[in-house]
CSV table of all heavy atoms in Angstrom, one decimal:
chain,number,residue,atom,x,y,z
B,1,MET,N,-30.7,11.5,-1.3
B,1,MET,CA,-30.6,10.7,-2.5
B,1,MET,C,-31.2,11.5,-3.7
B,1,MET,O,-32.3,12.0,-3.6
B,1,MET,CB,-31.3,9.4,-2.4
B,1,MET,CG,-31.0,8.3,-3.4
B,1,MET,SD,-29.4,7.7,-3.3
B,1,MET,CE,-29.3,6.9,-4.8
B,238,ALA,N,-16.5,16.0,0.9
B,238,ALA,CA,-17.6,16.9,0.8
B,238,ALA,C,-18.4,16.6,-0.5
B,238,ALA,O,-19.6,16.7,-0.5
B,238,ALA,CB,-17.2,18.3,0.8
B,240,ILE,N,-18.7,13.7,-2.0
B,240,ILE,CA,-19.5,12.5,-1.9
B,240,ILE,C,-20.8,12.8,-1.1
B,240,ILE,O,-21.9,12.4,-1.4
B,240,ILE,CB,-18.7,11.4,-1.2
B,240,ILE,CG1,-17.5,10.9,-2.0
B,240,ILE,CG2,-19.6,10.2,-0.8
B,240,ILE,CD1,-16.5,10.0,-1.3
B,241,LEU,N,-20.6,13.6,0.0
B,241,LEU,CA,-21.8,13.9,0.8
B,241,LEU,C,-22.8,14.7,0.0
B,241,LEU,O,-24.0,14.4,0.1
B,241,LEU,CB,-21.3,14.8,2.0
B,241,LEU,CG,-20.4,14.1,3.0
B,241,LEU,CD1,-19.9,15.0,4.1
B,241,LEU,CD2,-21.1,12.9,3.7
B,242,ALA,N,-22.4,15.6,-0.7
B,242,ALA,CA,-23.3,16.4,-1.5
B,242,ALA,C,-24.0,15.6,-2.6
B,242,ALA,O,-25.2,15.7,-2.8
B,242,ALA,CB,-22.6,17.6,-2.2
B,243,SER,N,-23.3,14.7,-3.2
B,243,SER,CA,-23.8,13.9,-4.3
B,243,SER,C,-24.8,12.8,-3.7
B,243,SER,O,-25.8,12.5,-4.3
B,243,SER,CB,-22.7,13.2,-5.0
B,243,SER,OG,-23.2,12.1,-5.8
B,244,GLU,N,-24.5,12.2,-2.6
B,244,GLU,CA,-25.2,11.1,-2.1
B,244,GLU,C,-26.2,11.4,-0.9
B,244,GLU,O,-26.8,10.4,-0.4
B,244,GLU,CB,-24.3,9.9,-1.7
B,244,GLU,CG,-23.3,9.5,-2.8
B,244,GLU,CD,-24.1,9.1,-4.1
B,244,GLU,OE1,-24.9,8.2,-4.0
B,244,GLU,OE2,-23.8,9.8,-5.1
B,245,GLY,N,-26.2,12.6,-0.5
B,245,GLY,CA,-27.1,13.0,0.6
B,245,GLY,C,-26.6,12.3,1.9
B,245,GLY,O,-27.4,11.8,2.7
B,246,GLY,N,-25.3,12.2,2.0
B,246,GLY,CA,-24.7,11.6,3.2
B,246,GLY,C,-24.5,12.6,4.4
B,246,GLY,O,-24.8,13.8,4.2
B,247,LEU,N,-24.1,12.1,5.5
B,247,LEU,CA,-23.8,12.9,6.7
B,247,LEU,C,-22.4,12.7,7.1
B,247,LEU,O,-21.9,11.5,7.1
B,247,LEU,CB,-24.7,12.5,7.8
B,247,LEU,CG,-26.2,12.9,7.8
B,247,LEU,CD1,-26.9,12.3,8.9
B,247,LEU,CD2,-26.3,14.4,7.9
B,248,LYS,N,-21.7,13.8,7.5
B,248,LYS,CA,-20.4,13.6,8.0
B,248,LYS,C,-20.5,13.2,9.5
B,248,LYS,O,-21.2,13.9,10.2
B,248,LYS,CB,-19.6,14.8,7.8
B,248,LYS,CG,-18.1,14.6,8.2
B,248,LYS,CD,-17.3,15.9,7.9
B,248,LYS,CE,-16.1,15.6,7.0
B,248,LYS,NZ,-15.3,16.8,6.8
B,249,LEU,N,-19.9,12.2,9.9
B,249,LEU,CA,-20.0,11.8,11.3
B,249,LEU,C,-18.8,12.3,12.1
B,249,LEU,O,-19.0,12.6,13.3
B,249,LEU,CB,-20.0,10.2,11.4
B,249,LEU,CG,-21.2,9.5,10.8
B,249,LEU,CD1,-21.0,8.0,11.0
B,249,LEU,CD2,-22.5,10.0,11.4
B,307,LEU,N,-24.9,2.9,5.9
B,307,LEU,CA,-23.5,2.7,5.5
B,307,LEU,C,-22.6,3.6,6.3
B,307,LEU,O,-22.8,4.8,6.3
B,307,LEU,CB,-23.3,3.0,4.0
B,307,LEU,CG,-23.9,2.0,3.0
B,307,LEU,CD1,-25.4,1.9,3.0
B,307,LEU,CD2,-23.3,2.3,1.6
B,333,ILE,N,-18.1,8.9,7.3
B,333,ILE,CA,-19.4,9.5,6.8
B,333,ILE,C,-20.4,8.3,6.9
B,333,ILE,O,-20.1,7.2,7.0
B,333,ILE,CB,-19.3,10.0,5.4
B,333,ILE,CG1,-19.1,8.9,4.4
B,333,ILE,CG2,-18.2,11.1,5.2
B,333,ILE,CD1,-19.3,9.3,2.9
B,334,ALA,N,-21.7,8.8,6.9
B,334,ALA,CA,-22.8,7.8,6.8
B,334,ALA,C,-23.6,8.1,5.5
B,334,ALA,O,-23.8,9.2,5.2
B,334,ALA,CB,-23.7,7.9,8.0
B,335,LEU,N,-24.0,7.0,4.9
B,335,LEU,CA,-24.9,7.1,3.7
B,335,LEU,C,-26.1,6.3,4.0
B,335,LEU,O,-26.1,5.3,4.7
B,335,LEU,CB,-24.2,6.5,2.5
B,335,LEU,CG,-22.9,7.2,2.0
B,335,LEU,CD1,-22.3,6.5,0.8
B,335,LEU,CD2,-23.1,8.7,1.7
B,336,PRO,N,-27.3,6.7,3.5
B,336,PRO,CA,-28.5,6.0,3.8
B,336,PRO,C,-28.5,4.6,3.2
B,336,PRO,O,-28.1,4.3,2.1
B,336,PRO,CB,-29.6,6.9,3.1
B,336,PRO,CG,-28.9,7.8,2.2
B,336,PRO,CD,-27.5,7.9,2.6
B,365,PHE,N,-31.3,8.9,8.6
B,365,PHE,CA,-31.9,9.5,7.4
B,365,PHE,C,-33.4,9.3,7.5
B,365,PHE,O,-33.9,8.4,8.1
B,365,PHE,CB,-31.3,8.9,6.2
B,365,PHE,CG,-29.8,9.0,6.1
B,365,PHE,CD1,-29.0,7.9,6.6
B,365,PHE,CD2,-29.2,10.1,5.7
B,365,PHE,CE1,-27.6,8.1,6.6
B,365,PHE,CE2,-27.8,10.2,5.6
B,365,PHE,CZ,-27.0,9.2,6.1
B,369,GLU,N,-35.3,8.7,2.1
B,369,GLU,CA,-34.0,8.9,1.5
B,369,GLU,C,-33.3,7.5,1.2
B,369,GLU,O,-32.2,7.5,0.8
B,369,GLU,CB,-33.1,9.6,2.5
B,369,GLU,CG,-33.4,11.1,2.7
B,369,GLU,CD,-32.6,11.8,3.7
B,369,GLU,OE1,-32.4,11.3,4.8
B,369,GLU,OE2,-32.0,12.8,3.3
B,371,ARG,N,-31.7,4.3,-0.3
B,371,ARG,CA,-31.1,4.2,-1.6
B,371,ARG,C,-31.7,3.0,-2.3
B,371,ARG,O,-32.0,2.0,-1.7
B,371,ARG,CB,-29.6,3.9,-1.4
B,371,ARG,CG,-28.9,5.0,-0.6
B,371,ARG,CD,-27.5,4.5,-0.2
B,371,ARG,NE,-26.7,4.1,-1.4
B,371,ARG,CZ,-26.0,5.0,-2.1
B,371,ARG,NH1,-26.1,6.3,-1.7
B,371,ARG,NH2,-25.3,4.7,-3.1
Side-chain angles (χ1 to χ4, degrees):
Chain B
M1 194 69 195
I240 295 171
L241 295 176
S243 164
E244 303 307 301
L247 286 171
K248 190 177 233 182
L249 298 179
L307 283 69
I333 68 168
L335 299 178
F365 304 94
E369 291 181 307
R371 303 166 60 83

